[in-house]
Protein backbone atom coordinates (compact mmCIF):
# COMPACT_ATOMS: atom_id res chain seq x y z
CA UNK A 1 0.00 0.00 0.00
CA UNK A 2 2.86 2.37 0.70
CA UNK A 3 3.91 2.11 -2.93
CA UNK A 4 0.39 2.81 -4.09
CA UNK A 5 0.22 6.09 -2.17
CA UNK A 6 3.66 7.03 -3.48
CA UNK A 7 2.46 6.52 -7.04
CA UNK A 8 -0.67 8.56 -6.38
CA UNK A 9 1.43 11.31 -4.86
CA UNK A 10 3.71 11.30 -7.88
CA UNK A 11 0.70 11.55 -10.18
CA UNK A 12 -0.72 14.47 -8.20
CA UNK A 13 2.58 16.31 -8.19
CA UNK A 14 3.00 15.89 -11.92
CA UNK A 15 -0.59 16.92 -12.54
CA UNK A 16 0.03 20.08 -10.53
CA UNK A 17 3.16 20.85 -12.49
CA UNK A 18 1.30 20.32 -15.75
CA UNK A 19 -0.51 23.60 -15.20
CA UNK A 20 2.64 25.43 -16.27
CA UNK A 21 3.38 23.21 -19.26
CA UNK A 22 4.08 25.27 -22.40
CA UNK A 23 1.77 23.20 -24.60
CA UNK A 24 -1.08 23.54 -22.15
CA UNK A 25 -2.54 21.62 -19.26
CA UNK A 26 -4.84 19.43 -21.35
CA UNK A 27 -2.00 18.18 -23.50
CA UNK A 28 0.09 17.39 -20.46
CA UNK A 29 -2.72 15.70 -18.59
CA UNK A 30 -3.47 13.37 -21.51
CA UNK A 31 0.19 12.40 -21.83
CA UNK A 32 0.51 11.87 -18.10
CA UNK A 33 -2.61 9.76 -17.93
CA UNK A 34 -1.35 7.59 -20.80
CA UNK A 35 2.04 7.13 -19.19
CA UNK A 36 0.50 5.97 -15.94
CA UNK A 37 -2.17 3.85 -17.64
CA UNK A 38 0.45 2.00 -19.65
CA UNK A 39 1.94 0.52 -16.48
CA UNK A 40 -1.19 0.20 -14.40
CA UNK A 41 -0.95 -3.60 -14.21
CA UNK A 42 2.62 -3.64 -13.00
CA UNK A 43 2.85 -5.59 -9.75
CA UNK A 44 6.58 -6.12 -9.30
CA UNK A 45 7.67 -3.79 -6.44
CA UNK A 46 11.21 -3.30 -7.81
CA UNK A 47 9.78 -2.27 -11.18
CA UNK A 48 7.34 0.13 -9.52
CA UNK A 49 10.14 1.66 -7.46
CA UNK A 50 12.16 2.15 -10.62
CA UNK A 51 9.24 3.91 -12.24
CA UNK A 52 8.80 6.21 -9.24
CA UNK A 53 12.47 7.14 -9.49
CA UNK A 54 11.92 7.91 -13.15
CA UNK A 55 8.87 10.00 -12.24
CA UNK A 56 10.92 12.07 -9.81
CA UNK A 57 13.50 12.57 -12.53
CA UNK A 58 10.76 13.91 -14.81
CA UNK A 59 9.71 16.33 -12.05
CA UNK A 60 13.24 17.71 -11.81
CA UNK A 61 13.49 18.01 -15.58
CA UNK A 62 10.19 19.90 -15.70
CA UNK A 63 11.34 22.30 -13.01
CA UNK A 64 14.52 22.97 -14.95
CA UNK A 65 12.53 23.42 -18.16
CA UNK A 66 10.16 25.95 -16.59
CA UNK A 67 12.95 27.92 -14.98
CA UNK A 68 14.95 28.07 -18.19
CA UNK A 69 11.95 29.02 -20.29
CA UNK A 70 11.03 31.85 -17.94
CA UNK A 71 14.62 33.07 -17.76
CA UNK A 72 14.99 33.04 -21.53
CA UNK A 73 11.69 34.83 -22.09
CA UNK A 74 12.65 37.54 -19.60
CA UNK A 75 16.08 37.88 -21.14
CA UNK A 76 14.65 38.19 -24.60
CA UNK A 77 12.01 40.65 -23.49
CA UNK A 78 14.17 42.94 -21.39
CA UNK A 79 17.82 42.44 -22.16
CA UNK A 80 18.46 41.38 -25.75
CA UNK A 81 19.12 44.39 -27.87
CA UNK A 82 17.54 44.20 -31.27
CA UNK A 83 20.18 44.05 -34.02
CA UNK A 84 21.05 47.54 -35.16
CA UNK A 85 20.46 48.31 -38.83
CA UNK B 1 20.33 39.36 12.11
CA UNK B 2 18.18 41.05 9.61
CA UNK B 3 14.49 40.97 9.00
CA UNK B 4 13.68 41.11 5.30
CA UNK B 5 10.51 42.51 3.82
CA UNK B 6 9.83 41.34 0.27
CA UNK B 7 7.24 42.83 -2.04
CA UNK B 8 5.49 40.48 -4.44
CA UNK B 9 3.01 41.33 -7.15
CA UNK B 10 0.43 39.18 -8.88
CA UNK B 11 0.65 39.74 -12.62
CA UNK B 12 -0.63 38.09 -15.78
CA UNK B 13 1.55 35.04 -16.38
CA UNK B 14 4.58 35.74 -18.56
CA UNK B 15 3.56 33.07 -21.08
CA UNK B 16 0.07 34.48 -21.71
CA UNK B 17 -0.65 36.42 -24.88
CA UNK B 18 -1.90 39.81 -23.69
CA UNK B 19 -5.13 41.10 -25.18
CA UNK B 20 -6.21 44.74 -25.01
CA UNK B 21 -9.83 45.44 -24.08
CA UNK B 22 -11.85 46.70 -27.07
CA UNK B 23 -12.65 49.98 -25.24
CA UNK B 24 -8.89 50.63 -24.77
CA UNK B 25 -9.16 51.11 -21.00
CA UNK B 26 -6.76 48.30 -20.16
CA UNK B 27 -5.97 44.66 -20.82
CA UNK B 28 -8.19 41.61 -20.38
CA UNK B 29 -7.54 40.05 -16.97
CA UNK B 30 -10.67 37.95 -16.46
CA UNK B 31 -10.11 34.23 -16.92
CA UNK B 32 -6.41 34.79 -17.65
CA UNK B 33 -3.70 32.84 -15.90
CA UNK B 34 -1.87 34.89 -13.30
CA UNK B 35 1.33 34.17 -11.40
CA UNK B 36 3.97 35.90 -9.35
CA UNK B 37 5.99 38.57 -11.13
CA UNK B 38 9.23 36.79 -12.21
CA UNK B 39 11.45 39.53 -10.75
CA UNK B 40 9.66 39.23 -7.42
CA UNK B 41 10.33 35.48 -7.46
CA UNK B 42 14.00 36.36 -7.69
CA UNK B 43 13.61 38.77 -4.76
CA UNK B 44 11.90 36.12 -2.61
CA UNK B 45 14.51 33.54 -3.55
CA UNK B 46 17.30 35.89 -2.48
CA UNK B 47 15.62 36.59 0.86
CA UNK B 48 15.09 32.88 1.48
CA UNK B 49 18.73 32.18 0.64
CA UNK B 50 19.75 34.87 3.13
CA UNK B 51 17.71 33.05 5.73
CA UNK B 52 19.28 29.73 4.82
CA UNK B 53 22.73 31.27 5.14
CA UNK B 54 21.66 32.70 8.50
CA UNK B 55 22.22 36.29 7.40
CA UNK B 56 18.51 36.92 7.76
CA UNK B 57 16.27 35.89 10.57
CA UNK B 58 12.82 36.32 9.12
CA UNK B 59 11.36 36.77 5.64
CA UNK B 60 8.06 38.62 5.36
CA UNK B 61 6.23 38.65 2.03
CA UNK B 62 3.86 41.51 1.23
CA UNK B 63 1.37 41.76 -1.59
CA UNK B 64 -1.03 44.59 -2.38
CA UNK B 65 -4.19 43.81 -4.29
CA UNK B 66 -7.60 42.16 -4.29
CA UNK B 67 -8.32 38.78 -2.69
CA UNK B 68 -6.45 36.89 -5.41
CA UNK B 69 -3.18 38.47 -4.25
CA UNK B 70 -3.27 35.83 -1.52
CA UNK B 71 -2.41 33.16 -4.12
CA UNK B 72 0.78 35.03 -4.87
CA UNK B 73 1.52 35.34 -1.17
CA UNK B 74 0.97 31.60 -0.89
CA UNK B 75 3.56 30.99 -3.59
CA UNK B 76 5.99 33.24 -1.72
CA UNK B 77 5.36 31.32 1.50
CA UNK B 78 5.81 28.03 -0.36
CA UNK B 79 9.18 29.25 -1.59
CA UNK B 80 10.24 29.83 1.99
CA UNK B 81 8.93 33.12 3.35
CA UNK B 82 7.93 32.88 7.02
CA UNK B 83 4.76 34.93 6.99
CA UNK B 84 2.71 37.09 4.72
CA UNK B 85 0.96 40.44 4.83
CA UNK B 86 -1.92 40.96 2.48
CA UNK B 87 -2.70 44.62 1.93
CA UNK B 88 -6.25 44.37 0.72
CA UNK B 89 -7.20 46.76 -2.03
CA UNK B 90 -10.50 46.48 -3.87
CA UNK B 91 -10.43 45.57 -7.55
CA UNK B 92 -11.74 49.03 -8.42
CA UNK B 93 -9.01 50.83 -6.47
CA UNK B 94 -6.38 48.38 -7.68
CA UNK B 95 -6.92 49.54 -11.27
CA UNK B 96 -5.47 52.94 -10.40
CA UNK B 97 -2.94 51.79 -7.81
CA UNK B 98 0.48 53.12 -8.72
CA UNK B 99 4.06 52.44 -7.56
CA UNK B 100 3.88 55.62 -5.45
CA UNK B 101 1.08 54.09 -3.37
CA UNK B 102 2.75 50.68 -3.15
CA UNK B 103 6.03 52.24 -2.08
CA UNK B 104 4.33 54.21 0.70
CA UNK B 105 2.57 51.04 1.87
CA UNK B 106 5.80 49.02 1.83
CA UNK B 107 7.72 51.81 3.56
CA UNK B 108 5.12 51.97 6.33
CA UNK B 109 5.18 48.20 6.73
CA UNK B 110 8.97 48.18 6.79
CA UNK B 111 8.85 50.59 9.74
CA UNK B 112 6.02 48.76 11.52
CA UNK B 113 7.68 45.37 11.15
CA UNK B 114 11.14 46.78 11.96
CA UNK B 115 12.61 45.40 8.74
CA UNK B 116 16.31 45.91 8.02
CA UNK B 117 16.04 45.17 4.35
CA UNK B 118 13.33 45.77 1.79
CA UNK B 119 13.73 43.59 -1.26
CA UNK B 120 11.57 43.90 -4.37
CA UNK B 121 11.75 42.85 -8.00
CA UNK B 122 13.19 45.59 -10.19
CA UNK B 123 9.95 45.92 -12.11
CA UNK B 124 6.68 44.14 -12.75
CA UNK B 125 6.15 42.58 -16.13
CA UNK B 126 2.66 44.06 -16.47
CA UNK B 127 3.13 47.81 -16.12
CA UNK B 128 6.96 47.81 -16.39
CA UNK B 129 7.12 50.83 -14.08
CA UNK B 130 10.46 50.13 -12.36
CA UNK B 131 9.76 52.73 -9.65
CA UNK B 132 8.79 50.97 -6.45
CA UNK B 133 12.24 50.27 -4.99
CA UNK B 134 13.48 53.76 -5.78
CA UNK B 135 10.47 55.39 -4.17
CA UNK B 136 10.56 53.18 -1.06
CA UNK B 137 14.15 54.32 -0.62
CA UNK B 138 12.97 57.90 -0.99
CA UNK B 139 10.09 57.59 1.47
CA UNK B 140 12.23 55.87 4.12
CA UNK B 141 15.35 57.88 3.33
CA UNK B 142 17.30 54.60 3.19
CA UNK B 143 20.18 53.81 0.83
CA UNK B 144 18.87 52.07 -2.26
CA UNK B 145 20.65 49.60 -4.51
CA UNK B 146 18.69 48.87 -7.67
CA UNK B 147 19.24 46.14 -10.32
CA UNK B 148 21.21 43.93 -7.94
CA UNK B 149 22.87 40.93 -9.55
CA UNK B 150 24.91 39.98 -6.48
CA UNK B 151 24.47 40.77 -2.81
CA UNK B 152 27.18 40.14 -0.20
CA UNK B 153 26.75 40.67 3.49
CA UNK B 154 29.21 42.57 5.67
CA UNK B 155 29.08 44.12 9.11
CA UNK B 156 26.13 46.52 9.00
CA UNK B 157 26.60 46.96 5.28
CA UNK B 158 26.02 45.18 2.01
CA UNK B 159 28.19 44.97 -1.06
CA UNK B 160 25.91 45.00 -4.04
CA UNK B 161 26.85 44.39 -7.66
CA UNK B 162 24.50 46.29 -9.92
CA UNK B 163 23.67 45.74 -13.56
CA UNK B 164 24.21 48.95 -15.43
CA UNK B 165 24.41 49.76 -19.14
CA UNK B 166 27.16 47.66 -20.65
CA UNK B 167 28.73 46.58 -17.37
CA UNK B 168 28.58 46.10 -13.64
CA UNK B 169 28.88 48.53 -10.77
CA UNK B 170 29.82 47.46 -7.26
CA UNK B 171 28.59 49.62 -4.42
CA UNK B 172 28.43 49.46 -0.65
CA UNK B 173 25.27 50.39 1.20
CA UNK B 174 24.69 50.66 4.92
CA UNK B 175 21.72 48.78 6.33
CA UNK B 176 18.83 49.36 6.64
CA UNK B 177 18.57 49.49 2.87
CA UNK B 178 16.26 48.95 -0.06
CA UNK B 179 17.27 46.55 -2.85
CA UNK B 180 15.75 45.65 -6.18
CA UNK B 181 16.49 42.32 -7.82
CA UNK B 182 17.69 41.98 -11.38
CA UNK B 183 17.28 38.88 -13.55
CA UNK B 184 20.72 37.40 -12.90
CA UNK B 185 20.65 37.64 -9.11
CA UNK B 186 19.70 33.97 -8.69
CA UNK B 187 17.61 31.13 -10.05
CA UNK B 188 14.32 30.96 -8.16
CA UNK B 189 13.17 27.56 -6.86
CA UNK B 190 9.89 26.01 -7.89
CA UNK B 191 6.99 26.25 -5.46
CA UNK B 192 6.20 22.53 -5.17
CA UNK B 193 2.79 21.11 -4.37
CA UNK B 194 3.68 19.88 -0.86
CA UNK B 195 5.21 23.27 -0.04
CA UNK B 196 2.10 25.07 -1.31
CA UNK B 197 0.06 22.86 1.03
CA UNK B 198 2.37 23.58 3.96
CA UNK B 199 2.25 27.29 3.13
CA UNK B 200 -1.47 27.27 3.88
CA UNK B 201 -0.56 26.86 7.54
CA UNK B 202 1.73 29.90 7.60
CA UNK B 203 0.22 33.11 8.98
CA UNK B 204 -1.05 35.77 6.60
CA UNK B 205 -2.07 39.07 8.15
CA UNK B 206 -4.69 41.16 6.43
CA UNK B 207 -4.51 44.94 6.52
CA UNK B 208 -5.96 47.76 4.45
CA UNK B 209 -4.26 50.85 3.07
CA UNK B 210 -6.38 52.93 5.46
CA UNK B 211 -5.02 50.96 8.45
CA UNK B 212 -1.55 51.98 7.36
CA UNK B 213 -2.61 55.58 6.84
CA UNK B 214 -1.75 55.55 3.14
CA UNK B 215 -3.89 57.54 0.75
CA UNK B 216 -4.46 55.49 -2.39
CA UNK B 217 -6.51 57.97 -4.38
CA UNK B 218 -5.50 57.86 -8.05
CA UNK B 219 -2.63 60.09 -9.19
CA UNK B 220 -2.98 59.45 -12.88
CA UNK B 221 -5.70 58.70 -15.37
CA UNK B 222 -5.28 56.05 -18.05
CA UNK B 223 -6.18 57.74 -21.31
CA UNK B 224 -5.80 54.81 -23.65
CA UNK B 225 -4.16 51.39 -23.87
CA UNK B 226 -3.22 50.14 -27.32
CA UNK B 227 -1.57 47.14 -28.94
CA UNK B 228 1.97 47.63 -30.18
CA UNK B 229 2.13 48.22 -33.94
CA UNK B 230 2.01 45.04 -35.98
CA UNK B 231 5.23 44.23 -37.78
CA UNK B 232 4.86 44.82 -41.51
CA UNK B 233 5.05 41.83 -43.80
CA UNK B 234 8.31 41.36 -45.70
CA UNK B 235 8.59 40.78 -49.42
CA UNK B 236 10.82 38.65 -51.59
CA UNK B 237 12.95 40.59 -54.04
CA UNK B 238 13.87 39.04 -57.42
CA UNK B 239 17.41 40.42 -57.81
CA UNK B 240 20.12 42.61 -56.34
CA UNK B 241 19.27 45.69 -58.41
CA UNK B 242 15.74 45.81 -57.02
CA UNK B 243 17.16 45.37 -53.52
CA UNK B 244 19.55 48.30 -53.99
CA UNK B 245 16.70 50.34 -55.46
CA UNK B 246 14.46 49.56 -52.48
CA UNK B 247 17.20 50.34 -49.97
CA UNK B 248 17.81 53.72 -51.65
CA UNK B 249 14.12 54.39 -51.62
CA UNK B 250 13.97 53.66 -47.89
CA UNK B 251 16.96 55.94 -47.28
CA UNK B 252 19.16 53.16 -45.86
CA UNK B 253 22.07 53.77 -48.24
Amino acid sequence: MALRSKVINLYKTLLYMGRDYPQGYDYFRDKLRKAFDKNRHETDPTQIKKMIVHGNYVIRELQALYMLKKYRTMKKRYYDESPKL
Amino acid sequence: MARVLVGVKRVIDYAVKIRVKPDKTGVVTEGVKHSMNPFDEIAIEEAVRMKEKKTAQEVIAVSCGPTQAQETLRTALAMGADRGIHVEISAKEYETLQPIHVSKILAKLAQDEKADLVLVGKQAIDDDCNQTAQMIGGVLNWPTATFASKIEHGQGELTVTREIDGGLETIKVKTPAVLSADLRLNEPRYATLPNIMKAKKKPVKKVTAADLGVDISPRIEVVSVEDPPVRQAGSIIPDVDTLVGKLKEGGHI
Side-chain angles (χ1 to χ4, degrees), chain A residues 22-62:
Chain A
Q23 276 154 288
Y25 179 65
D26 293 334
Y27 174 88
F28 186 89
R29 194 188 45 205
D30 285 355
K31 285 264 176 179
L32 182 66
R33 182 83 215 181
K34 269 181 205 147
F36 273 73
D37 262 351
K38 199 174 72 189
N39 298 314
R40 64 180 308 162
H41 298 296
E42 186 63 62
T43 47
D44 180 8
T46 46
Q47 276 302 317
I48 294 175
K49 273 179 200 153
K50 240 186 204 167
M51 284 170 190
I52 292 174
V53 169
H54 179 71
N56 286 323
Y57 165 78
V58 172
I59 288 174
R60 282 198 303 278
E61 287 287 293
L62 278 173

Side-chain angles (χ1 to χ4, degrees), chain A residues 12-13 16-17 19-20 63 66-67 69-71 73-75 77-79 85, chain B residues 14 33 38-39 41 122-123 125 128 182-184 187-188 190-193 196:
Chain A
K12 276 187 187 167
T13 306
Y16 170 78
M17 295 195 74
R19 300 192 307 180
D20 291 330
Q63 286 182 355
Y66 294 163
M67 199 200 73
K69 183 166 182 269
K70 196 180 278 181
Y71 176 83
T73 313
M74 287 302 116
K75 191 163 174 286
R77 222 176 266 176
Y78 291 108
Y79 297 86
L85 281 173
Chain B
Y14 77 98
K33 188 185 173 200
F39 292 108
E41 281 183 346
K122 67 161 186 166
Q123 70 190 66
I125 61 166
D128 286 331
D182 210 318
L183 186 63
R184 280 174 264 258
E187 289 146 9
Y190 193 82
T192 59
L193 185 58
I196 292 270

Side-chain angles (χ1 to χ4, degrees), chain B residues 58-75:
Chain B
E58 191 183 25
V59 179
I60 311 165
V62 185
S63 191
C64 306
T67 324
Q68 296 98 313
Q70 284 180 9
E71 295 162 22
T72 304
L73 274 180
R74 198 85 64 206
T75 312

Side-chain angles (χ1 to χ4, degrees), chain B residues 16-66:
Chain B
V16 171
K17 175 98 179 65
I18 304 292
R19 280 183 304 132
V20 173
K21 281 188 199 162
D23 62 359
K24 292 185 180 178
T25 54
V27 297
V28 179
T29 52
E30 292 84 20
V32 172
K33 188 185 173 200
H34 283 67
S35 50
M36 191 195 292
N37 176 32
F39 292 108
D40 295 346
E41 281 183 346
I42 297 171
I44 277 279
E45 175 69 29
E46 190 64 20
V48 172
R49 285 188 193 185
M50 282 177 195
K51 202 191 160 200
E52 285 165 354
K53 277 193 251 158
K54 308 259 186 264
T55 47
Q57 145 210 0
E58 191 183 25
V59 179
I60 311 165
V62 185
S63 191
C64 306

